Amino acid sequence: MRWCVFAALFLCASSLATACPLCLGAFRSSVAQQLVNLPHEVLAQPSADGRGYRVVAVIKGEKPAGGMIPEEELELDVVPDANATLLLARDEAWSMWVAFGAVAVEHAGWLRQIAAGKHLSDMNADEWRAQLALILPYLEDREPLVAEIAYGELAAAPYAALLAAKPRLAAPAIRRWLADPRLAARQSLYLLLLGIAGDAGDAAALEVRLEALSMAGDATNLGSMIAADLQLRGPQRMAWVDAKYMANRLRSTRELEAALLALSVLGNENDAIPRDRVIQSYRLFMQEHKELAGFVAWDLAAWQYWGAVPVYLALNKSNVRQDFKSRVAISAYLQQSPVRGLFDAGASEVDARDQQTSAQRSAISALPQ
């Protein structure tokens, strides 16, 4: 029973994430999404008497009584500048207003558009296109909170939405951001954007960086770098990924997970890198990293590729010690497969000779290889 519960959790996980998994922070609630969720938001400035804040613009909800927020109803993590205009918000159940930070009143209209948006999981492709058109001009804005809001919403975007935004991406600006050490925490996303908006020169620079990471055994931003490299170079570059990672038994689990994540994102799009080519690399990974072979099972099931059933059944009946996440993923994959009714995917100890009937063997042989 416990095994089935783990498998069920694994199967449900795919419905929870819409953001590109290569973007750092993609699964944290952004400021923009908090503005969507909260019912009361205003811009306010310190009152002349110093006893509270005077509302200068309503972003969402109704204006507080008297247009003032008393000091005792305001929760500040830091002491703001004496003349700062603050973005304040409150939930119905809260007795206090909380401050997100300082932002100029000139951004009130933009903030209203952000706050009137939808939850990420409810947005379709057209709505994402409009949302990115709204936020892209404010990436790395001179006002830190505005820049944070824009970055956080972009980091939550699906990869398909980033690809669709290519005409709006400015490669020179992306290169500047990648060269700025103050933006090191945002490199993962900006590398993806470079792969979409960049050129042959960017591809050459990425190759140098990837070779350095490979030699050092470093996984820092590796997934985003591989994805950007493949987006720029296409299928011919897959041979390098196979040689350096898929077939390399000396790689750390962290490196392998990063490389697989890059292939997963591109395989889901089935565009710059055909999905069939990604599956070819996945099968090489399964062959060379048997203890982690289930790491690709989630994608294979989502793509309705059942050619891995014989491999996974053989692994379940072998003496190969599987990583726990790999075992759970393999079980989930087999439970979804066309032969799920013929096998107990969790019973890896049962001898195949006692379990396989001729009908079962026929079912397996009919699966695509």
Side-chain angles (χ1 to χ4, degrees), residues 91-119:
D91 196 5
E92 295 288 2
W94 300 352
S95 60
M96 304 284 285
W97 290 78
V98 297
F100 283 99
V103 60
V105 71
E106 289 78 13
H107 290 301
W110 182 72
L111 290 170
R112 291 188 188 105
Q113 289 179 279
I114 295 291
K118 288 186 173 183
H119 294 104

mmCIF file of all heavy atoms in Angstrom, residues 91-119:
data_model
loop_
_atom_site.group_PDB
_atom_site.id
_atom_site.type_symbol
_atom_site.label_atom_id
_atom_site.label_comp_id
_atom_site.label_asym_id
_atom_site.label_seq_id
_atom_site.Cartn_x
_atom_site.Cartn_y
_atom_site.Cartn_z
ATOM 1 N N ASP A 91 -4.611 41.257 3.720
ATOM 2 C CA ASP A 91 -5.642 40.252 3.479
ATOM 3 C C ASP A 91 -6.836 40.566 4.375
ATOM 4 O O ASP A 91 -6.709 41.301 5.371
ATOM 5 C CB ASP A 91 -5.084 38.865 3.786
ATOM 6 C CG ASP A 91 -5.944 37.761 3.202
ATOM 7 O OD1 ASP A 91 -6.922 38.072 2.491
ATOM 8 O OD2 ASP A 91 -5.657 36.576 3.450
ATOM 9 N N GLU A 92 -7.991 40.013 4.036
ATOM 10 C CA GLU A 92 -9.193 40.250 4.844
ATOM 11 C C GLU A 92 -8.995 39.801 6.290
ATOM 12 O O GLU A 92 -9.518 40.416 7.219
ATOM 13 C CB GLU A 92 -10.386 39.503 4.233
ATOM 14 C CG GLU A 92 -10.803 39.999 2.855
ATOM 15 C CD GLU A 92 -11.485 41.362 2.888
ATOM 16 O OE1 GLU A 92 -11.613 41.945 3.975
ATOM 17 O OE2 GLU A 92 -11.881 41.840 1.812
ATOM 18 N N ALA A 93 -8.251 38.724 6.459
ATOM 19 C CA ALA A 93 -8.087 38.154 7.801
ATOM 20 C C ALA A 93 -6.969 38.822 8.602
ATOM 21 O O ALA A 93 -6.770 38.486 9.771
ATOM 22 C CB ALA A 93 -7.817 36.657 7.692
ATOM 23 N N TRP A 94 -6.242 39.731 7.992
ATOM 24 C CA TRP A 94 -5.114 40.360 8.676
ATOM 25 C C TRP A 94 -5.549 41.659 9.351
ATOM 26 O O TRP A 94 -6.311 42.450 8.793
ATOM 27 C CB TRP A 94 -3.984 40.682 7.697
ATOM 28 C CG TRP A 94 -3.403 39.504 6.983
ATOM 29 C CD1 TRP A 94 -3.647 38.181 7.216
ATOM 30 C CD2 TRP A 94 -2.485 39.554 5.897
ATOM 31 N NE1 TRP A 94 -2.943 37.401 6.351
ATOM 32 C CE2 TRP A 94 -2.213 38.221 5.525
ATOM 33 C CE3 TRP A 94 -1.860 40.586 5.192
ATOM 34 C CZ2 TRP A 94 -1.340 37.886 4.489
ATOM 35 C CZ3 TRP A 94 -1.002 40.274 4.165
ATOM 36 C CH2 TRP A 94 -0.737 38.940 3.815
ATOM 37 N N SER A 95 -5.010 41.893 10.521
ATOM 38 C CA SER A 95 -5.251 43.168 11.203
ATOM 39 C C SER A 95 -4.214 44.210 10.812
ATOM 40 O O SER A 95 -4.399 45.403 11.053
ATOM 41 C CB SER A 95 -5.211 42.969 12.722
ATOM 42 O OG SER A 95 -3.942 42.478 13.127
ATOM 43 N N MET A 96 -3.124 43.762 10.188
ATOM 44 C CA MET A 96 -2.015 44.648 9.847
ATOM 45 C C MET A 96 -1.804 44.710 8.334
ATOM 46 O O MET A 96 -2.089 43.759 7.614
ATOM 47 C CB MET A 96 -0.725 44.150 10.505
ATOM 48 C CG MET A 96 -0.787 43.988 12.005
ATOM 49 S SD MET A 96 -0.714 45.557 12.878
ATOM 50 C CE MET A 96 1.029 45.955 12.690
ATOM 51 N N TRP A 97 -1.298 45.855 7.862
ATOM 52 C CA TRP A 97 -0.810 45.995 6.503
ATOM 53 C C TRP A 97 0.665 45.617 6.484
ATOM 54 O O TRP A 97 1.396 45.901 7.436
ATOM 55 C CB TRP A 97 -0.956 47.441 6.021
ATOM 56 C CG TRP A 97 -2.361 47.888 5.795
ATOM 57 C CD1 TRP A 97 -3.263 48.257 6.757
ATOM 58 C CD2 TRP A 97 -3.029 48.023 4.538
ATOM 59 N NE1 TRP A 97 -4.463 48.605 6.183
ATOM 60 C CE2 TRP A 97 -4.340 48.481 4.815
ATOM 61 C CE3 TRP A 97 -2.666 47.814 3.220
ATOM 62 C CZ2 TRP A 97 -5.278 48.719 3.813
ATOM 63 C CZ3 TRP A 97 -3.581 48.056 2.215
ATOM 64 C CH2 TRP A 97 -4.878 48.499 2.501
ATOM 65 N N VAL A 98 1.097 44.968 5.412
ATOM 66 C CA VAL A 98 2.510 44.612 5.287
ATOM 67 C C VAL A 98 3.099 45.369 4.099
ATOM 68 O O VAL A 98 2.394 45.684 3.132
ATOM 69 C CB VAL A 98 2.715 43.096 5.103
ATOM 70 C CG1 VAL A 98 2.238 42.331 6.315
ATOM 71 C CG2 VAL A 98 2.019 42.606 3.841
ATOM 72 N N ALA A 99 4.385 45.656 4.176
ATOM 73 C CA ALA A 99 5.063 46.420 3.136
ATOM 74 C C ALA A 99 5.898 45.500 2.256
ATOM 75 O O ALA A 99 6.675 44.683 2.767
ATOM 76 C CB ALA A 99 5.950 47.485 3.766
ATOM 77 N N PHE A 100 5.745 45.636 0.951
ATOM 78 C CA PHE A 100 6.585 44.895 0.012
ATOM 79 C C PHE A 100 7.873 45.643 -0.298
ATOM 80 O O PHE A 100 8.867 45.042 -0.680
ATOM 81 C CB PHE A 100 5.821 44.649 -1.300
ATOM 82 C CG PHE A 100 4.803 43.547 -1.206
ATOM 83 C CD1 PHE A 100 3.468 43.840 -1.011
ATOM 84 C CD2 PHE A 100 5.188 42.217 -1.295
ATOM 85 C CE1 PHE A 100 2.527 42.827 -0.919
ATOM 86 C CE2 PHE A 100 4.257 41.200 -1.215
ATOM 87 C CZ PHE A 100 2.917 41.507 -1.029
ATOM 88 N N GLY A 101 7.829 46.962 -0.148
ATOM 89 C CA GLY A 101 9.008 47.770 -0.440
ATOM 90 C C GLY A 101 8.620 49.085 -1.077
ATOM 91 O O GLY A 101 7.436 49.402 -1.238
ATOM 92 N N ALA A 102 9.636 49.854 -1.439
ATOM 93 C CA ALA A 102 9.414 51.171 -2.024
ATOM 94 C C ALA A 102 9.231 51.071 -3.528
ATOM 95 O O ALA A 102 9.912 50.295 -4.200
ATOM 96 C CB ALA A 102 10.595 52.081 -1.697
ATOM 97 N N VAL A 103 8.313 51.884 -4.051
ATOM 98 C CA VAL A 103 8.083 51.940 -5.493
ATOM 99 C C VAL A 103 7.471 53.298 -5.817
ATOM 100 O O VAL A 103 6.632 53.808 -5.074
ATOM 101 C CB VAL A 103 7.160 50.788 -5.956
ATOM 102 C CG1 VAL A 103 5.819 50.842 -5.280
ATOM 103 C CG2 VAL A 103 7.001 50.792 -7.462
ATOM 104 N N ALA A 104 7.910 53.887 -6.904
ATOM 105 C CA ALA A 104 7.419 55.210 -7.280
ATOM 106 C C ALA A 104 5.951 55.155 -7.669
ATOM 107 O O ALA A 104 5.473 54.169 -8.249
ATOM 108 C CB ALA A 104 8.244 55.766 -8.435
ATOM 109 N N VAL A 105 5.216 56.207 -7.363
ATOM 110 C CA VAL A 105 3.787 56.258 -7.655
ATOM 111 C C VAL A 105 3.528 56.193 -9.158
ATOM 112 O O VAL A 105 2.430 55.800 -9.590
ATOM 113 C CB VAL A 105 3.168 57.533 -7.027
ATOM 114 C CG1 VAL A 105 3.630 58.786 -7.777
ATOM 115 C CG2 VAL A 105 1.643 57.435 -7.008
ATOM 116 N N GLU A 106 4.518 56.536 -9.968
ATOM 117 C CA GLU A 106 4.365 56.459 -11.429
ATOM 118 C C GLU A 106 4.100 55.043 -11.915
ATOM 119 O O GLU A 106 3.599 54.832 -13.031
ATOM 120 C CB GLU A 106 5.620 57.000 -12.127
ATOM 121 C CG GLU A 106 5.807 58.508 -12.024
ATOM 122 C CD GLU A 106 6.350 58.948 -10.672
ATOM 123 O OE1 GLU A 106 6.815 58.059 -9.900
ATOM 124 O OE2 GLU A 106 6.304 60.149 -10.372
ATOM 125 N N HIS A 107 4.407 54.053 -11.080
ATOM 126 C CA HIS A 107 4.198 52.657 -11.471
ATOM 127 C C HIS A 107 2.827 52.127 -11.046
ATOM 128 O O HIS A 107 2.556 50.928 -11.179
ATOM 129 C CB HIS A 107 5.283 51.773 -10.849
ATOM 130 C CG HIS A 107 6.640 51.985 -11.438
ATOM 131 N ND1 HIS A 107 6.908 51.811 -12.779
ATOM 132 C CD2 HIS A 107 7.805 52.372 -10.871
ATOM 133 C CE1 HIS A 107 8.179 52.067 -13.014
ATOM 134 N NE2 HIS A 107 8.747 52.411 -11.876
ATOM 135 N N ALA A 108 1.953 52.997 -10.542
ATOM 136 C CA ALA A 108 0.655 52.549 -10.026
ATOM 137 C C ALA A 108 -0.160 51.820 -11.097
ATOM 138 O O ALA A 108 -0.756 50.768 -10.828
ATOM 139 C CB ALA A 108 -0.128 53.734 -9.469
ATOM 140 N N GLY A 109 -0.190 52.369 -12.313
ATOM 141 C CA GLY A 109 -0.968 51.729 -13.377
ATOM 142 C C GLY A 109 -0.447 50.353 -13.718
ATOM 143 O O GLY A 109 -1.222 49.404 -13.932
ATOM 144 N N TRP A 110 0.876 50.223 -13.768
ATOM 145 C CA TRP A 110 1.497 48.927 -14.062
ATOM 146 C C TRP A 110 1.186 47.925 -12.956
ATOM 147 O O TRP A 110 0.846 46.765 -13.232
ATOM 148 C CB TRP A 110 3.010 49.119 -14.213
ATOM 149 C CG TRP A 110 3.767 47.888 -14.568
ATOM 150 C CD1 TRP A 110 3.772 47.235 -15.767
ATOM 151 C CD2 TRP A 110 4.662 47.156 -13.715
ATOM 152 N NE1 TRP A 110 4.610 46.143 -15.718
ATOM 153 C CE2 TRP A 110 5.176 46.074 -14.470
ATOM 154 C CE3 TRP A 110 5.090 47.306 -12.400
ATOM 155 C CZ2 TRP A 110 6.076 45.151 -13.940
ATOM 156 C CZ3 TRP A 110 5.987 46.399 -11.866
ATOM 157 C CH2 TRP A 110 6.475 45.334 -12.641
ATOM 158 N N LEU A 111 1.260 48.387 -11.713
ATOM 159 C CA LEU A 111 0.975 47.494 -10.584
ATOM 160 C C LEU A 111 -0.488 47.039 -10.606
ATOM 161 O O LEU A 111 -0.797 45.904 -10.242
ATOM 162 C CB LEU A 111 1.292 48.200 -9.263
ATOM 163 C CG LEU A 111 2.777 48.431 -8.973
ATOM 164 C CD1 LEU A 111 2.953 49.346 -7.761
ATOM 165 C CD2 LEU A 111 3.489 47.097 -8.733
ATOM 166 N N ARG A 112 -1.395 47.921 -11.032
ATOM 167 C CA ARG A 112 -2.810 47.515 -11.134
ATOM 168 C C ARG A 112 -2.981 46.404 -12.153
ATOM 169 O O ARG A 112 -3.767 45.468 -11.951
ATOM 170 C CB ARG A 112 -3.672 48.723 -11.511
ATOM 171 C CG ARG A 112 -3.784 49.770 -10.406
ATOM 172 C CD ARG A 112 -4.809 50.847 -10.759
ATOM 173 N NE ARG A 112 -4.753 51.928 -9.777
ATOM 174 C CZ ARG A 112 -4.194 53.124 -10.002
ATOM 175 N NH1 ARG A 112 -3.665 53.385 -11.197
ATOM 176 N NH2 ARG A 112 -4.176 54.035 -9.059
ATOM 177 N N GLN A 113 -2.254 46.490 -13.248
ATOM 178 C CA GLN A 113 -2.327 45.435 -14.260
ATOM 179 C C GLN A 113 -1.780 44.115 -13.718
ATOM 180 O O GLN A 113 -2.352 43.047 -13.975
ATOM 181 C CB GLN A 113 -1.545 45.847 -15.507
ATOM 182 C CG GLN A 113 -2.188 46.947 -16.324
ATOM 183 C CD GLN A 113 -1.355 47.311 -17.531
ATOM 184 O OE1 GLN A 113 -0.389 48.065 -17.452
ATOM 185 N NE2 GLN A 113 -1.726 46.754 -18.673
ATOM 186 N N ILE A 114 -0.686 44.198 -12.973
ATOM 187 C CA ILE A 114 -0.115 42.992 -12.360
ATOM 188 C C ILE A 114 -1.115 42.379 -11.381
ATOM 189 O O ILE A 114 -1.382 41.171 -11.403
ATOM 190 C CB ILE A 114 1.207 43.322 -11.640
ATOM 191 C CG1 ILE A 114 2.283 43.778 -12.632
ATOM 192 C CG2 ILE A 114 1.681 42.115 -10.826
ATOM 193 C CD1 ILE A 114 2.786 42.710 -13.556
ATOM 194 N N ALA A 115 -1.683 43.211 -10.511
ATOM 195 C CA ALA A 115 -2.588 42.723 -9.468
ATOM 196 C C ALA A 115 -3.883 42.159 -10.042
ATOM 197 O O ALA A 115 -4.540 41.317 -9.417
ATOM 198 C CB ALA A 115 -2.899 43.846 -8.484
ATOM 199 N N ALA A 116 -4.267 42.617 -11.236
ATOM 200 C CA ALA A 116 -5.507 42.138 -11.864
ATOM 201 C C ALA A 116 -5.290 40.862 -12.657
ATOM 202 O O ALA A 116 -6.225 40.349 -13.277
ATOM 203 C CB ALA A 116 -6.072 43.224 -12.775
ATOM 204 N N GLY A 117 -4.086 40.313 -12.617
ATOM 205 C CA GLY A 117 -3.766 39.116 -13.384
ATOM 206 C C GLY A 117 -4.368 37.847 -12.807
ATOM 207 O O GLY A 117 -5.073 37.862 -11.794
ATOM 208 N N LYS A 118 -4.057 36.737 -13.464
ATOM 209 C CA LYS A 118 -4.572 35.427 -13.060
ATOM 210 C C LYS A 118 -3.521 34.635 -12.300
ATOM 211 O O LYS A 118 -2.333 34.963 -12.323
ATOM 212 C CB LYS A 118 -4.990 34.622 -14.299
ATOM 213 C CG LYS A 118 -6.240 35.094 -14.984
ATOM 214 C CD LYS A 118 -6.615 34.110 -16.092
ATOM 215 C CE LYS A 118 -7.953 34.437 -16.709
ATOM 216 N NZ LYS A 118 -8.340 33.430 -17.739
ATOM 217 N N HIS A 119 -3.970 33.564 -11.657
ATOM 218 C CA HIS A 119 -3.030 32.608 -11.086
ATOM 219 C C HIS A 119 -2.291 31.907 -12.222
ATOM 220 O O HIS A 119 -2.858 31.681 -13.304
ATOM 221 C CB HIS A 119 -3.759 31.580 -10.220
ATOM 222 C CG HIS A 119 -4.371 32.176 -8.994
ATOM 223 N ND1 HIS A 119 -5.723 32.411 -8.883
ATOM 224 C CD2 HIS A 119 -3.819 32.617 -7.827
ATOM 225 C CE1 HIS A 119 -5.974 32.948 -7.702
ATOM 226 N NE2 HIS A 119 -4.841 33.095 -7.046
#
